[in-house]
Amino acid sequence: MSETGNRLRKLLESPNFDPQNYVKQLSQQSDGDRDLQEHRQKIQTLADETAQNLKKNVYKNYRQFIETAKEISYLESEMYQLSHILTEQKSIMESITQALLSTDKDETSKEMQAAFPKETEDLKQRTLTSLLEKVEGGKNIMDTPGRHLIYNGDLAEYDVDNMSPIQRVHAFLMNDCLLIATWLPNRRGTVKYKYSALYDLESFAVVNVKDNPPMKDMFKILMFPESRIFQAENSKVKKEWLEILDETKKSKVTKDRHKKEEEVPASPARVEVSTNPFDVDDDEPVGAEESVDLSLEWIQELPEDLDVCIAQRDFEGAVDLLDKLNEYLKDQPVTQKVKELRSKVDERVRQLTEVLVFELSPDRSLRGGPKATRRAVSQLIRLGQSTKACELFLKNRAAAVQTAIRQLRIEGATLLYIHKLCNIFFTSVLETAKEFQMDFAGNTGCYSAFVVWSRSAMRMFVDAFSKQVFDSKESLSTAAECVKVAKEHCQQLTEIGLDLTYTLQSLLVKDIKAALLSYKDIIIEATKHRNSEEMWRRMNLMTPEALAKLKDEMRSCGITSFEQYTGDDCWVNLSYTIVAFTKQMMSFLEEGLKLYFPELHMVLLESLYEIILVAVQHVDYSVRCEQDAEKKSFILLNATFLHDTVLPVVERRFEEGVGKPAKMLHDLRKSTRSVRINPESTTSLV
């Protein structure tokens, strides 16, 4: 930029710049319109340069913006997963703390009960007696020995059918029954309630009633064939009633069961001597339990250590502990204590398996490639879950491949997109295969699952490939280049002994066949259109450059003898129709050979046959119908070029590309020889 432009830029960029004063001074200093126009041009140039610099900065940072947005998205996903993990650990720690507190509470209550059993029992009975004195008709309730009060409180009873209030009641929950007493409107002394009903704890069930304002804080007592609904003072009181009722019922059931077991008379043991010499005693030997030493400190703490390892996501440590236990118990007899220990450990194994399965689920972050799954897969295999590990690993990788394909932006030329698609897909498959070989080296039975997964992944790739290449109606040359790129990338998998070429071909054959037939129809329609306007005149390319370019095009098509058909200056002794047909047909042949699969042999051969047939029929018809001798001679020259030069090149190139002779094309060429031999014939040759 000039020195004047730099001064102008500094002036405009200064923080004290005042546009009005600047324009006023400029108007006073200028000699006329010309100076103002020049100054305006300088400002416009500076504005254009500034805009161009802004564009360059935007383009320069555009990719960084995109990558930053992707990283933010990934980070957000991982932060969400981290929050979920922390929430899980918090809930686990809270449950462990609650369990420890409840255990301490139970032990304290047992100690208090053991220390003061008599005082507690007497106190409860005295409390119940003092309360029942306030109930009219409740004198006989205390006749049952051992009965004492658990809980009591005021409730409101409602009608079951129409939910209308009936009366106020006072409920007394005892260790074996529930007493319902109604309020007396006219109190007499200390008596406040009237006996209503007494229910044995085993004769009714308690059901929570869902809140439906204004009816809330209710619970139902079901006694066959009737039921009663009561409303507590608030939700806290209702919760206390439900919990205490449930605990009291369970306590009574447990107490009755123990009482029955104690009442069963123990029959004297009688030793029976078996006379069967082949009888084997299935019971454990008396000294079997003593032979397995489970008093070791690490065995006693094993369940808790496993819980800690799972909570801290120390999967390797958890599996090491399990291996150590299995090694210790390998040759030991299976006693009752061993079974109990096994049941505790099996529960931890189930929890560990669930966590490892979640680690491999597609819901987790798919970043990090196949190596990110190695930790969970290896521990599942050590737990004897190799089949599950294989299934989850392949599902995880399928989700990762699908996500990578979906995130690939469709921008620029189709061939550029296909390069990116092939690079992402085949690199992912190659990395997955290498990781699979490493993780499942000792599980050869899983390799068939990987082959099935590879075919499924290839189907996913072909869907994205075909949608972009064939569904978008790309040219045959573009489609051929894209298929060639896919084949080359597919060959990379042979490094690890995986050949998916046949799978790729079988999945693409339908779309390629449709593309070949469609392009064949386009060529035939274009040839017929040119034939309808054919004047049988020599081509005049006007410039030597155009003639040289045409010679190069024919040479690249394999027509090496094209020089003999060029005349003086820029003339070509062939018609435009024949030259255009030759270029288009040879291009179709080359693209068709790039797309060639053995399954497409007849499709390509028949398409070439139909295309050549259109040109041959046109030449034959023109020879028979033309009356002018000079034009007929020119037509025969074009027929000779088509028969002796073009068709042999097509046959040879087809045989080189396919590896098989084109007998159908050879027979067609033989049937057209009579064009030269008998030019006066009026019989159709084809």
Side-chain angles (χ1 to χ4, degrees), residues 111-367:
E111 291 174 358
M112 291 294 295
Q113 189 172 0
F116 310 101
K118 190 64 180 174
E119 287 86 347
T120 305
E121 198 72 23
D122 293 343
L123 180 61
K124 290 180 179 179
Q125 288 185 355
R126 284 200 300 269
T127 303
L128 179 61
T129 304
S130 61
L131 285 173
L132 290 180
E133 288 177 354
K134 300 178 182 180
V135 180
E136 183 181 301
K139 298 285 186 180
N140 299 328
I141 296 176
M142 287 303 300
D143 294 344
T144 305
R147 178 174 289 173
H148 57 268
L149 183 67
I150 301 294
Y151 193 73
N152 73 100
D154 292 333
L155 298 171
E157 185 174 7
Y158 280 73
D159 187 86
V160 177
D161 298 326
N162 54 27
M163 299 301 291
S164 60
I166 299 177
Q167 58 186 349
R168 289 179 62 194
V169 300
H170 194 90
F172 300 86
L173 176 61
M174 289 161 273
N175 60 326
D176 61 345
C177 61
L178 176 66
L179 170 65
I180 304 296
T182 59
W183 280 71
L184 287 174
N186 300 317
R187 299 181 182 177
R188 296 183 293 275
T190 59
V191 178
K192 293 183 179 180
Y193 316 108
K194 183 179 180 180
Y195 175 88
S196 175
L198 183 68
Y199 303 107
D200 189 81
L201 289 182
E202 297 177 351
S203 64
F204 66 86
V206 183
V207 180
N208 181 29
V209 177
K210 187 178 180 181
D211 289 348
N212 186 17
M215 302 302 170
K216 59 180 182 177
D217 304 328
M218 293 183 169
F219 60 92
K220 183 184 290 188
I221 294 181
L222 303 176
M223 302 84 61
F224 184 80
E226 59 179 8
S227 61
R228 300 177 73 172
I229 291 182
F230 300 100
Q231 184 183 42
E233 183 179 353
N234 51 51
S235 59
K236 181 180 178 182
V237 175
K238 171 190 171 181
K239 184 179 179 182
E240 289 178 355
W241 270 108
L242 292 176
E243 291 178 353
I244 294 174
L245 278 167
D246 185 60
E247 290 176 2
T248 306
K249 288 171 67 68
K250 289 181 179 178
S251 176
K252 185 175 185 302
V253 171
T254 305
K255 186 176 180 181
D256 292 345
R257 185 172 64 248
H258 289 326
K259 188 181 293 186
K260 288 181 180 178
E261 291 176 355
E262 292 174 359
E263 291 176 355
V264 174
S267 58
R270 184 177 61 183
V271 180
E272 295 183 1
V273 180
S274 174
T275 57
N276 187 357
F278 301 101
D279 191 15
V280 179
D281 188 10
D282 293 333
D283 296 334
E284 294 290 338
V286 176
E289 293 192 9
E290 299 177 357
S291 63
V292 183
D293 184 11
L294 300 180
S295 61
L296 299 175
E297 183 178 356
W298 70 270
I299 294 180
Q300 294 293 324
E301 297 177 355
L302 182 65
E304 289 76 14
D305 290 343
L306 288 174
D307 289 336
V308 172
C309 288
I310 294 172
Q312 294 180 348
R313 311 182 74 77
D314 182 13
F315 307 135
E316 294 83 358
V319 179
D320 289 341
L321 287 173
L322 293 171
D323 289 344
K324 184 178 179 181
L325 177 66
N326 291 331
E327 182 66 25
Y328 181 77
L329 298 177
K330 182 170 64 175
D331 298 326
Q332 302 290 347
V334 183
T335 63
Q336 185 62 32
K337 290 185 178 180
V338 172
K339 290 180 180 178
E340 292 175 0
L341 177 62
R342 284 287 189 188
S343 65
K344 293 179 182 179
V345 171
D346 289 344
E347 177 63 24
R348 272 70 177 184
V349 171
R350 185 186 63 79
Q351 295 176 7
L352 177 60
T353 304
E354 289 178 355
V355 174
L356 292 173
V357 168
F358 178 71
E359 285 290 312
L360 291 173
S361 64
D363 297 334
R364 300 285 288 168
S365 176
L366 299 174
R367 299 187 66 193

